[in-house]
């Protein structure tokens, strides 16, 4: 059964905060995101397509089978700005400053999303042993890492954001008041699985590289 995992890391916490959960594919793809954005939902219909027959198919229990969320080649920018708008709406409600998309953090997020697929594991270290701080430095980001959130799922970006907001570790990263820059990217496998990566940064000098290994999820 496919897994769903969400992991959050706070940049100044020596990789000590991490969380994960597992759900069935059916429950993942049918769970209603608590973020209700009708305009975003309409935009999503323009940038994603279901696979196979578009007619509703029923499972053995008589309920509709979930459809795979497919990301089209032209939907990249729309998805990134949809996520930015949704994150900023949540941050505004929490009294945190708005974020702006950063191309370098986008690049760092995309590199790690692809690498997680290669490793078949949602965690913060690259196949070369790189940490999130290593990756943001490699792309030339001059600020400091605030945190990184990851997900291995079949869900859309807004459903994934909803799942992140339900976990303390990932919610803390998303609402961190020190963050000003956002990087967001993904890698989708042929079977529909998506590896989402969000990286938050703060302008200024980069901090020291943590040396501890991630703590196991409780």
């Amino acid at each position: 059964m496919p897994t769903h995992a969400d992991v959050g890391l706070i940049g100044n916490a020596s990789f000590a905060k991490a969380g994960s959960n597992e759900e069935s594919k059916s429950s993942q793809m049918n769970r209603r995101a608590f973020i209700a954005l009708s305009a975003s939902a309409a935009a999503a219909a323009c940038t994603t397509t279901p696979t196979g027959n578009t007619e509703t198919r029923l499972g053995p229990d008589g309920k509709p089978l979930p459809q795979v969320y497919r990301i089209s080649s032209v939907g990249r920018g729309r998805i990134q700005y949809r996520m930015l708008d949704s994150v900023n709406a949540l941050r505004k409600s929490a009294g945190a400053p708005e974020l702006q998309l950063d191309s370098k953090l986008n690049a760092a997020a995309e590199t790690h999303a692809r690498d997680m697929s290669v490793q078949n594991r949602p965690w913060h270290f690259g196949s070369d042993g790189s940490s999130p701080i290593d990756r943001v430095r490699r792309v030339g980001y001059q600020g400091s890492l605030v945190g990184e959130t990851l997900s291995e799922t079949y869900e859309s970006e807004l459903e994934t954001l909803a799942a992140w907001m339900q976990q303390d570790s990932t919610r803390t990263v998303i609402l961190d008041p020190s963050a000003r820059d956002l990087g967001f990217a993904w890698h989708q496998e042929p079977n529909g699985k998506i590896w989402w990566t969000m990286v938050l940064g703060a302008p200024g000098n980069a901090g020291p590289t943590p040396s501890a290994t991630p703590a196991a999820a409780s």
Side-chain angles (χ1 to χ4, degrees):
M1 182 66 66
T3 61
H4 177 105
D6 299 299
V7 183
L9 173 147
I10 298 177
N12 61 1
S14 298
F15 298 102
K17 287 203 173 185
S20 65
N21 59 35
E22 294 189 0
E23 301 173 353
S24 68
K25 178 179 178 181
S26 177
S27 65
Q28 295 167 38
M29 300 183 69
N30 287 309
R31 187 176 65 222
R32 185 183 303 273
F34 67 82
I35 302 172
L37 297 173
S38 57
S40 296
C46 299
T47 59
T48 59
T49 56
T51 59
N53 194 331
T54 56
E55 295 181 0
T56 301
R57 294 180 300 163
L58 302 180
D61 58 359
K63 296 180 179 180
L65 292 173
Q67 292 183 325
V68 174
Y69 181 79
R70 289 286 182 186
I71 302 173
S72 71
S73 59
V74 299
R76 181 179 189 84
R78 295 176 184 176
I79 288 176
Q80 287 178 322
Y81 279 101
R82 184 157 59 243
M83 177 61 83
L84 176 68
D85 290 344
S86 299
V87 168
N88 278 337
L90 292 168
R91 289 175 62 86
K92 182 177 181 180
S93 296
E98 290 190 347
L99 306 178
Q100 62 181 359
L101 276 177
D102 185 274
S103 60
K104 293 178 179 178
L105 293 184
N106 283 342
E110 182 173 3
T111 295
H112 193 54
R114 291 181 178 276
D115 192 50
M116 285 192 296
S117 175
V118 172
Q119 297 186 74
N120 195 31
R121 180 178 183 180
W123 74 326
H124 295 288
F125 288 98
S127 55
D128 60 354
S130 62
S131 71
I133 290 180
D134 294 330
R135 291 189 292 273
V136 300
R137 287 179 177 172
R138 287 175 182 174
V139 297
Y141 182 68
Q142 297 301 307
S144 59
L145 174 74
V146 171
E148 179 181 76
T149 63
L150 313 171
S151 184
E152 173 194 7
T153 185
Y154 290 84
E155 294 180 318
S156 71
E157 67 280 1
L158 294 186
E159 290 171 313
T160 299
L161 177 59
W164 282 339
M165 290 299 292
Q166 291 171 2
Q167 288 190 187
D168 290 341
S169 60
T170 46
R171 183 175 61 250
T172 297
V173 172
I174 293 168
L175 300 181
D176 192 307
S178 68
R180 297 294 186 276
D181 299 323
L182 173 72
F184 182 64
W186 60 88
H187 174 71
Q188 185 166 38
E189 298 179 354
N191 65 3
K193 180 187 289 187
I194 308 173
W195 302 84
W196 299 105
T197 304
M198 179 186 291
V199 182
L200 276 70
N205 295 328
T209 302
S211 58
T213 56
S218 58

